[in-house]
Structures are given as structure tokens and as C-alpha cells.
Amino acid sequence: MKQRKLLMIPGPIEFTPEVMASMSLPTTSHVAPNFIEVFGQAIERLRTVFRSPSGQPFVVAGSGTLAMDMAAANLVEPGDSALVVNTGYFSDRFGAILARYGSEVTHVRAPSIGAVPSLEDVEKALKSRSFKIMTITHVDTSTAVRTDVKSLAALGRAHGTLVIVDGVCSVAGEELAQDDWSIDLALTASQKALGVPPGLAVLVAGLRAIERFKARRSPVQNYYADWTEWLPIMRAYEERKPSYFGTPPVNLIWSLNVSLGQIVEEGMAARVTRHRRLSKAFKEAAAAMGFRQVPTGQEHAADTLTALYYPEGVDATILGRIGQFGVIVAGGLHPDIKARYFRVGHMGAVNDADILTVVGAIESGLATTSARTTSGTGLAACARSLYGGPT
Ligand code: PMP
């Protein structure tokens, strides 16, 4: 029997067997010809995944927070004004990082938790003064709120602002077209929809971001994150030449290339459609079981995860019960509502069976509480959404 539970949190996620197998290959030198080839290929494939033929990828050992840190360290100079389109916990984090590098930060906040700031409010802020940088959290993992990156980025560009997108919970799961949408820098981390164990910070910088970096008046205030060091390394790997600044996490990069190969083979459009279909099935099942989502409208609810308020008579102890039925889901994260909701991740290699299993485990968990039990209505709604049938 398999001694494991299904991991359905919003990162780390379940990885494919091929990705896991590649983690256990013998570690090579970081300048071994076969590793140089793998790293070079991974860099090229990232352009396809971010839909940024003109972009410069960076892959560095670290988590998503390092990717945010690297963006701010290289693109912010003391006194630069920054606008944060704020949809929750991770938008707050970007504000704090920008401030650490001397930025004057203004937040445009959503009117309530689970809502999105309106385009009008963002435009009003952009008109109020000139901002050097604007950050957008594509999917805030604390609220499962997805922003309209395409429209927001267009607004930012129209006002001459450099647009940075935190795509940690969106890249390779939600639709994102970096070049077509005029995004200057997008970033993510390996453990989410990219489908690789935690440990890689991944960024793709557009031409304007690289120009802004090259025009800096002051040195980058972070030694490890400095693109002055990393740019030649990324270019060398792509040209299949040996180079060194900091030792790359060889096994993780090997896995990244395997996962990117699988993602590119599936195709970005098909991948986004799969995430949308599975998210819809899970959300319809959740509604049938009596759950209300944290996002205040379906049009801004993410497809990579779902955030659900506990119904009357249910609290966080249900997470342990869901675990007893074989599935790990995540508790709340947004400090203001932490004890009132939980989160289910459904991104990456997720499939129909995973969705049916998590719905079954939640439904079984609910049956052990004093809440109204739903005896199969969640699973029925899920199967109907996935396969059609009587409504
Ligand atoms: N941004 C978002 C939207 C995230 O979901 C996360 C991680 N959950 C981060 C940034 C930070 O990433 P990490 O935990 O890998 O540092």
C-alpha cells in the first residue's frame, strides 16, 4: 500500500514521477557539459512558459520571496516611488520588500478582503503622481483572488510605470502572456504550478527592466541578488558555456528542465484550460457542500487554488479530519480571517482523480462535524461538472 496522503495545498504541490526521478540522478558538476545543456534548455523553455520571447530568464537557488527580493533589489533605487496593487498578504510582502530598498510605497487596496482594487482606483493613483514601479500579485495565495493583470499592466504602461508581476501562484497555471501584456518582469517559484520541489526562484525580465537595471545610478544593495553577477551566468548557460558565480542547485535545475519539458509538451493554452476545468469542478462541488468562497466574485477567483470559509458549526479542526481521509489541505493565511477559512491547491500535474479525492475527503470530514452533512452531493456536483450529466 502507498504510505502517503494526497497533497492538495497551494504549494508545494504533487510532482510528476518523472520530476521526482530526476531529483535522484547523480549530482554533476555545475560545469559538466550535460548539466550546461540542461540549464541552457531550461532557460529557453522558460520563455515559452512565461510567453516572453524577448525576456531574460533568471534561475537562482531560493524561494519565491528571493525572486521578489531580486526584482526589488535590481529595479529600485532609494527614493523611487512604487505602487502596490494590493490583494492580500503577498502584496503586503512586496510593499515591505520595496520599502527595504528605499522605495516610497503607496498601496491601492481592495475595498474588502476577497475583493480586487478597481481599475478606476488604480488609474486614479497612477494619475496622482508619477510612479517608477508598479507591482501586481497575479494570484494572492492568501485570498485566492486573481487580478486582471492584462488590464492593470496596460494601465501601468500607459503611465510609463515599470510593471512587475508576482506570478508565484499563477505562472504555468493561469493565463499569462508577459510580452503581449507588456509586463516588464514576472516572477515565480519552483514549488507551485511550475511543478518542481521548493528551492528555485525564477524571474523573466523584459527589455525595459534590463534597461532600467543598466541605467542604475547606485549599486545593487544585495550581493547575492545582483544581476551584475547573474546576467553573465544566465547568458553563458544559454550559450552552452561554463561559468560560475554561486553554485547552482544542480538536481533542482535538472528537475526544472524535466517539468518545463512536460509543460511545453502539454502546451500553455491546454494547461490553462485544464486548470480552469478542474478549478470549476472543485468550486461547484464546494458550493454544493455549502461552502462560500473568500473571493467576492467568480470573475476574480483563481484557478490555481480555492479559498473557502468554514460553514456554521465547522472550524479548523476539520483539516485534521480531512487528513484522516487521506488528503492534506491548507489552513488560512490572511491574518484578518485566518481562523475562518481554509485553502485547497489544485495546480500543476493535478488531475480529475485528485479533485474527486479531495472533494470526497472534505465531504467525509464534514460528515464528522455538527454541520449539515451533504452525503454525496459534493461528489455528485464534481462529477457532473467534470463529465456532464443531469443537473
Ligand atoms: N507570492 C505569492 C503569491 C505566493 O503564493 C508565495 C508563496 N506562497 C510567495 C510570493 C512567496 O514564495 P515563497 O514561499 O516560495 O518564498
Side-chain angles (χ1 to χ4, degrees):
M1 193 177 90
K2 291 186 273 186
Q3 295 294 330
R4 59 187 295 274
K5 295 185 179 190
L6 184 67
L7 186 61
M8 294 293 281
I9 66 172
I13 61 161
E14 296 254 325
F15 307 114
T16 65
E18 295 78 13
V19 165
M20 292 317 292
S22 65
M23 284 295 289
S24 64
L25 292 172
T27 304
T28 63
S29 153
H30 58 288
V31 291
N34 56 347
F35 177 69
I36 292 176
E37 176 60 30
V38 158
F39 205 157
Q41 237 179 45
I43 289 171
E44 288 159 2
R45 285 172 169 166
L46 281 171
R47 292 202 182 88
T48 306
V49 172
F50 281 69
R51 294 175 58 190
S52 180
S54 75
Q56 173 60 59
F58 293 89
V59 181
V60 179
S63 76
T65 307
L66 177 75
M68 299 164 85
D69 202 46
M70 197 179 223
N74 286 280
L75 296 176
V76 165
E77 294 197 67
D80 282 357
S81 54
L83 184 71
V84 173
V85 179
N86 195 310
T87 46
Y89 181 91
F90 289 104
S91 309
D92 283 339
R93 179 173 292 187
F94 226 148
I97 295 171
L98 291 163
R100 185 64 66 89
Y101 289 103
S103 197
E104 288 171 27
V105 181
T106 303
H107 293 264
V108 182
R109 290 180 191 276
S112 60
I113 294 170
V116 274
S118 70
L119 290 176
E120 292 72 35
D121 284 351
V122 174
E123 185 160 31
K124 210 161 92 190
L126 286 166
K127 279 182 173 157
S128 70
R129 62 178 291 189
S130 114
F131 287 98
K132 285 247 164 109
I133 278 185
M134 168 172 158
T135 65
I136 307 165
T137 312
H138 195 176
V139 170
D140 199 300
T141 322
S142 71
T143 53
V145 164
R146 178 180 61 209
T147 51
D148 177 359
V149 167
K150 186 179 179 183
S151 305
L152 288 166
L155 271 183
R157 288 302 318 148
H159 287 84
T161 306
L162 204 73
V163 176
I164 300 180
V165 173
D166 171 352
V168 172
C169 200
S170 73
V171 168
E174 303 276 356
E175 185 181 15
L176 178 79
Q178 182 166 351
D179 281 15
D180 287 352
W181 295 0
S182 276
I183 295 164
D184 295 306
L185 182 138
L187 61 90
T188 189
S190 51
Q191 75 273 18
K192 306 240 181 189
L194 272 188
V196 183
L200 293 176
V202 177
L203 305 90
V204 176
L207 298 172
R208 276 184 302 262
I210 296 290
E211 273 165 27
R212 173 76 64 88
F213 160 72
K214 287 191 167 157
R216 286 182 68 93
R217 299 172 306 274
S218 57
V220 172
Q221 294 301 305
N222 181 322
Y223 186 79
Y224 180 72
D226 192 346
W227 285 351
T228 316
E229 306 291 353
W230 290 111
L231 203 48
I233 304 299
M234 296 302 133
R235 291 192 170 145
Y237 275 112
E238 199 164 0
E239 289 162 11
R240 309 300 196 260
K241 291 182 184 148
S243 62
Y244 166 73
F245 170 55
T247 308
V250 170
N251 299 57
L252 275 174
I253 286 167
W254 211 285
S255 293
L256 174 70
N257 193 41
V258 169
S259 190
L260 290 172
Q262 293 179 330
I263 293 170
V264 169
E265 193 184 337
E266 179 177 17
M268 298 317 293
R271 195 168 173 90
V272 167
T273 304
R274 174 167 59 81
H275 279 78
R276 202 171 284 154
R277 171 175 172 271
L278 295 175
S279 168
K280 183 166 175 281
F282 181 70
K283 287 174 171 63
E284 287 179 5
M289 290 187 283
F291 289 100
R292 185 167 64 88
Q293 290 183 50
V294 173
T296 52
Q298 269 323 284
E299 68 293 342
H300 62 262
D303 285 329
T304 47
L305 84 158
T306 303
L308 300 170
Y309 285 112
Y310 298 121
E312 198 64 32
V314 178
D315 61 21
T317 55
I318 196 179
L319 302 183
R321 301 207 185 97
I322 296 169
Q324 282 167 6
F325 291 106
V327 183
I328 309 293
V329 296
L333 180 62
H334 194 297
D336 297 352
I337 53 168
K338 201 172 163 52
R340 292 174 42 209
Y341 79 113
F342 71 111
R343 299 168 302 146
V344 176
H346 33 74
M347 64 184 114
V350 62
N351 64 17
D352 290 18
D354 296 334
I355 298 294
L356 287 161
T357 304
V358 68
V359 170
I362 293 171
E363 200 149 50
S364 305
L366 266 185
T368 67
T369 69
S370 62
R372 180 180 63 92
T373 57
T374 59
S375 56
T377 55
L379 270 175
C382 189
R384 203 160 46 237
S385 179
L386 290 172
Y387 309 116
T391 49

